[in-house]
Amino acid sequence: MRLMRIGPAGAERPVVRVAQSGYVDVSDVVGDFDEWFFAAGETDRLRSIVDERSARGQVDTFGNVRIGAPIARPHQILCVGLNYADHAAETGAAVPEEPLVFTKAPNSITGPNDGIRTPRGATKLDWEVELGIVIGTRARYLSDLTEARAAVAGFVVVNDVSERAFQSERGGQWSKGKSAETFNPVGPWLATPDEIDDVQNLDLWLTVNGVQRQSSTTAQMIFDPWVIVHYLSQFFVLEPGDLINTGTPPGVGLGHHPPVWLRSGDVVELGITGLGAQRQIVLPPDGPPPTLSLTATTSRGQQ
């Protein structure tokens, strides 16, 4: 299934995408796609409900509805840095021997088409297309990769927006360059594992103002999704609904010579095979709330 949440920010309702422009509303049977939903193992029950409603023609069209993140605010966002060898090279860093782990603030999550708010004082705003993993069951000290696979609820597109000066030039942890409001667009949908033929062979892409900046495949990951989930469970208790950002391929603004930084008005588009596409406009530090009313369909990445 492809789980989505639509509607105004803070008032999204859960739906299941059943066609490029259609969905089944399940808000009467599911409170939200949150920790409780995943912990209760509601996916199978929801699948049968969606099949029945689709057969009866209870399918709505998205129209010009806002798309929210496909999961409610998670307990935590865990991230893996430098997980593509060529990205490590472009940043001048050594290839890590173990996953390089940092965190992002859970309230940095936004919808896939909401604006990116430039933080006050930011000078080096950057982009990062990434595969996101959503945890489906409480997981601690997983014993092997088979258990890691069983702990995954699905996969999403993530833009791990970064402010490089905050991240690397202000001392301390990476997290403060990663956690500003709007710095974690997610979606448009969560694809359950059965929707993805091979999560280790998905194309990732990103453009800025129509110029290709990133193009790679998850086959180039140093640590694959199952290794990451297993590894993190040795240090964290992974809760249902938690989000893991698995790292970005080369082509980030930091890696260009000279570096290329995002500016107010820039348009960032990105996507992953089978997981849909995102589109964000970079906004100035102050102004209206950074949510845009854009349709659920985009021109690319809807495989």
Side-chain angles (χ1 to χ4, degrees), residues 223-243:
F223 306 104
D224 70 41
W226 321 120
V227 169
I228 290 171
V229 172
H230 174 264
Y231 181 85
L232 291 177
S233 77
Q234 310 307 307
F235 305 95
F236 303 86
V237 176
L238 306 178
E239 301 286 0
D242 280 358
L243 175 64

Side-chain angles (χ1 to χ4, degrees), residues 138-162:
R138 196 169 194 265
R140 56 192 295 274
Y141 302 122
L142 297 175
S143 63
D144 53 34
L145 300 188
T146 298
E147 286 193 352
R149 288 175 182 267
V152 172
F155 304 96
V156 294
V157 180
V158 169
N159 187 358
D160 178 18
V161 182
S162 307

Side-chain angles (χ1 to χ4, degrees), residues 91-123:
T91 64
V95 174
E97 295 183 4
E98 295 188 32
L100 193 163
V101 181
F102 62 96
T103 64
K104 294 190 79 156
N107 65 357
S108 64
I109 283 187
T110 59
N113 301 323
D114 294 341
I116 296 171
R117 173 73 70 202
T118 304
R120 292 182 182 179
T123 58

Side-chain angles (χ1 to χ4, degrees), residues 172-185:
Q173 300 287 326
W174 280 11
S175 296
K176 67 184 179 185
K178 297 280 190 172
S179 295
E181 61 175 335
T182 74
F183 266 31
N184 209 103

Side-chain angles (χ1 to χ4, degrees), residues 185-235:
V186 181
W189 58 73
L190 178 153
T192 53
D194 59 292
E195 293 279 349
I196 304 298
D197 291 335
D198 184 1
V199 74
Q200 294 175 247
N201 190 28
L202 302 178
D203 293 333
L204 307 88
W205 59 270
L206 182 144
T207 67
V208 180
N209 299 327
V211 178
Q212 189 84 52
R213 294 298 188 184
Q214 292 185 280
S215 180
S216 189
T217 168
T218 55
Q220 300 302 313
M221 282 184 172
I222 299 168
F223 306 104
D224 70 41
W226 321 120
V227 169
I228 290 171
V229 172
H230 174 264
Y231 181 85
L232 291 177
S233 77
Q234 310 307 307
F235 305 95

Side-chain angles (χ1 to χ4, degrees), residues 1 47 59 75 83 87 92 109 112 136 140 149 153 155 173 191 198 206 225 245 271 297 299 302:
M1 287 189 298
R47 193 186 310 274
V59 178
H75 169 258
N83 196 28
H87 172 55
I109 283 187
R140 56 192 295 274
R149 288 175 182 267
F155 304 96
Q173 300 287 326
D198 184 1
L206 182 144
N245 297 346
T297 57
S299 58
Q302 301 294 333

